Amino acid sequence: MQIHRSAAIAALVLTAAALPAVAAAGDSVPSDRVSSHSHDLVAVQSADVPRSQAWGSARVKALPNGKLQVTVEAGGLAPGVHHMAHLHGFVDRVDGGCPGPARDTSGDGLISVAEGAVDYGPVLVHLTTAGPTQAPVTFTDYPLADADGTISYQRTFPATVDHHRMAGRVQVVVHGIDLDGDGTVGAGPETSIPALCGGVAD
């Protein structure tokens, strides 16, 4: 298990190295029209939840042409399945964040998508590989994890007036955990449960 995880981490590092250089989280923005925010993605669920301890990184970059570029590198996810991924946040404030163990208000040992949304907010952008970025979207347009459970995602979204402001406010959330160990992420909680989270407040 340790060898497999180490190999996956090494693969992620090599993939990330091939991408354009990014600014570290908290760095000053290079101009009033560009901002780049990089974040670690951390497991949302307790280590007691089987197959839940994924890892990764994300970059959200507002470009000078008004477009928004999002990059996600993640490993340890359920392999061979699509994973919902979004930019979450609050349009009226910056103080969103990722949920901690106390957010499991139901006491079932899991942080549901609704429990987590108290911290990271509603969906602002669907991180699809193609097609619409606002609901309704097609599930198979979300990133597909490879056989090792890794995702390497990058998409540049069309310009909107909100993108510069959004880049410094959002949380990146990747969903989907194979809770029952059957090799799939079935309908219901397995599909929507938050697996990874990271963003400006963390």
Side-chain angles (χ1 to χ4, degrees):
M1 180 66 71
Q2 184 61 41
I3 294 175
H4 177 79
R5 182 183 175 110
S6 298
I9 292 174
L12 290 176
V13 170
L14 290 174
T15 302
L19 296 170
V22 300
D27 285 355
S28 59
V29 298
S31 79
D32 60 357
R33 297 198 305 161
V34 178
S35 62
S36 184
H37 305 268
S38 296
H39 314 287
D40 289 332
L41 297 178
V42 299
V44 173
Q45 307 298 325
S46 162
D48 294 333
V49 178
R51 295 166 293 279
S52 68
Q53 298 304 290
W55 62 91
S57 63
R59 178 189 66 191
V60 183
K61 185 175 183 180
L63 303 176
N65 56 9
K67 295 181 179 181
L68 188 75
Q69 185 182 79
V70 179
T71 303
V72 177
E73 301 288 335
L77 296 164
V81 298
H82 293 272
H83 288 265
M84 293 195 300
H86 311 103
L87 298 183
H88 288 257
F90 300 93
V91 296
D92 57 344
R93 57 187 172 94
V94 183
D95 58 340
C98 292
R103 190 55 67 197
D104 174 24
T105 55
S106 68
D108 64 354
L110 301 172
I111 298 174
S112 70
V113 64
E115 289 169 335
V118 174
D119 292 300
Y120 51 65
V123 173
L124 299 178
V125 176
H126 292 258
L127 299 182
T128 50
T129 58
T133 62
Q134 299 295 322
V137 302
T138 302
F139 182 71
T140 52
D141 283 341
Y142 286 113
L144 176 66
D146 67 15
D148 294 320
T150 64
I151 283 175
S152 183
Y153 170 89
Q154 185 176 88
R155 185 174 181 182
T156 300
F157 298 88
T160 77
V161 295
D162 293 328
H163 277 169
H164 175 73
R165 182 180 67 166
M166 184 185 297
R169 290 174 176 258
V170 294
Q171 306 296 118
V172 178
V173 182
V174 180
H175 302 261
I177 298 174
D178 180 13
L179 295 172
D180 59 12
D182 67 354
T184 66
V185 174
E190 284 196 329
T191 301
S192 64
I193 190 171
L196 288 169
C197 179
V200 68
D202 302 294

